[in-house]
């Protein structure tokens, strides 16, 4: 934030809001929309459909998982000029039945809290809102690691870190989360505690009050 009146430059980080709807209720909403079996595993992401958000990496990862599991689905919230290309890329894979384009759903904040894992594939912006919200919602995350996500992802402690562009790591880490449920739950708890402590709504509000008060 730039306060032109006093020529001050202040960085006020995004906040991690506490979810108003629980995971079970959000998951039911999501399953009702998707029409998939209730025992499915669901990964989710929210990002603009541009080349920089590398959503192809996540479709490819879903394709890899489909080679040995038929119960892992990916939902993608967003829109953009790359949608036709993403759909064409998806059609060339075995992941077609398992990837769902959700558009800009008015219930996105409720629906995304119903996923089992959150995938974040790009370094387009610092402290991305979707990643923050997923972690605050006690969802285990797999995220690319870099300067934009380093304040959120303590590798293998608050989230599972993937190398930028390493598509296979999303599939490998998700397989780990499915097979090691206790570790997945611990990771989610640690991630939630981390973001609610460091990126609370109160801290964000206090930052604006201090700047403009």
């Amino acid at each position: 934030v730039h306060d032109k009146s006093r020529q001050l430059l202040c960085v006020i980080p995004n906040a991690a809001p506490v979810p108003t709807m629980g995971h079970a209720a959000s998951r039911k909403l999501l399953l009702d929309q998707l029409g998939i079996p209730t025992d499915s595993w669901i990964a989710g992401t929210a990002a603009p459909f541009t080349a920089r958000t590398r959503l192809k990496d996540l479709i490819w990862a879903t394709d890899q998982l489909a080679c040995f599991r038929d119960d892992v689905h990916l939902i993608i919230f967003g829109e953009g000029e790359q949608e036709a290309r993403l759909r064409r890329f998806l059609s060339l894979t075995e992941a077609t039945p398992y990837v769902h384009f959700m558009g800009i759903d008015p219930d996105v904040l409720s629906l995304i809290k119903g996923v089992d894992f959150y995938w974040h594939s790009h370094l387009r912006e610092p402290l991305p809102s979707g990643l923050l919200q997923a972690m605050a919602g006690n969802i285990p995350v797999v995220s690319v690691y870099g300067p934009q996500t380093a304040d959120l992802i303590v590798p293998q402690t608050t989230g599972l870190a993937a190398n930028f562009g390493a598509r296979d790591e999303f599939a490998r880490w998700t397989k780990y989360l499915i097979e090691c449920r206790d570790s997945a739950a611990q990771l989610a708890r640690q991630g939630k505690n981390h973001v609610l402590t460091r990126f609370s709504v109160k801290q964000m509000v206090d930052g604006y009050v201090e700047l403009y008060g």
Side-chain angles (χ1 to χ4, degrees), residues 16-73:
V18 178
T20 56
M21 182 180 290
H23 173 73
S26 296
R27 181 176 173 80
K28 185 178 185 306
L29 281 177
L30 187 54
L31 289 171
D32 288 345
Q33 278 212 17
L34 295 175
I36 60 177
T38 57
D39 60 351
S40 299
W41 296 99
I42 306 174
T45 195
F49 293 175
T50 69
R52 288 183 62 194
T53 55
R54 303 188 66 90
L55 292 173
K56 279 186 178 180
D57 291 355
L58 304 187
I59 293 173
W60 191 92
T62 308
D63 183 48
Q64 291 298 296
L65 286 165
C67 292
F68 52 89
R69 298 195 69 104
D70 62 358
D71 59 351
V72 180
H73 292 255

Side-chain angles (χ1 to χ4, degrees), residues 14-19 132-133 135-136 192 195-196 199-201:
N14 287 340
V18 178
L132 265 169
Q133 291 173 3
M135 295 173 74
K192 178 180 179 179
V195 299
L196 292 183
F199 303 100
S200 69
V201 173

Side-chain angles (χ1 to χ4, degrees), residues 79-211:
E79 61 183 9
E81 71 275 6
Q82 291 282 314
E83 181 170 351
R85 291 187 179 185
L86 289 171
R87 289 183 180 275
R88 185 162 56 251
F89 177 74
L90 173 63
S91 71
L92 301 175
T93 73
E94 299 297 321
T96 302
Y98 308 112
V99 176
H100 311 270
F101 292 93
M102 305 294 286
I104 303 298
D105 194 293
D107 289 329
V108 59
L109 293 180
S110 296
L111 293 172
I112 201 68
K113 291 165 189 166
V115 303
D116 300 296
F117 329 104
Y118 188 85
W119 288 356
H120 183 77
S121 55
H122 63 87
L123 297 174
R124 182 172 176 264
E125 59 189 359
L127 300 176
S129 296
L131 187 59
L132 265 169
Q133 291 173 3
M135 295 173 74
N138 204 47
I139 297 169
V141 301
V142 183
S143 172
V144 292
Y145 188 76
Q148 295 84 343
T149 60
D151 285 339
L152 299 177
I153 303 299
V154 179
Q156 287 60 272
T157 300
T158 65
L160 297 176
N163 290 303
F164 185 74
R167 300 171 168 183
D168 61 303
E169 293 184 12
F170 281 92
R172 178 166 58 85
W173 280 130
T174 300
K175 182 175 181 290
Y176 168 81
L177 291 171
I178 291 173
E179 295 175 352
C180 303
R181 298 307 300 151
D182 288 344
S183 296
Q186 180 180 358
L187 186 82
R189 287 193 303 270
Q190 291 170 172
K192 178 180 179 179
N193 291 337
H194 178 71
V195 299
L196 292 183
T197 299
R198 293 195 58 190
F199 303 100
S200 69
V201 173
K202 182 180 184 302
Q203 288 172 318
M204 182 181 71
V205 171
D206 287 348
Y208 281 105
V209 170
E210 181 179 351
L211 180 64

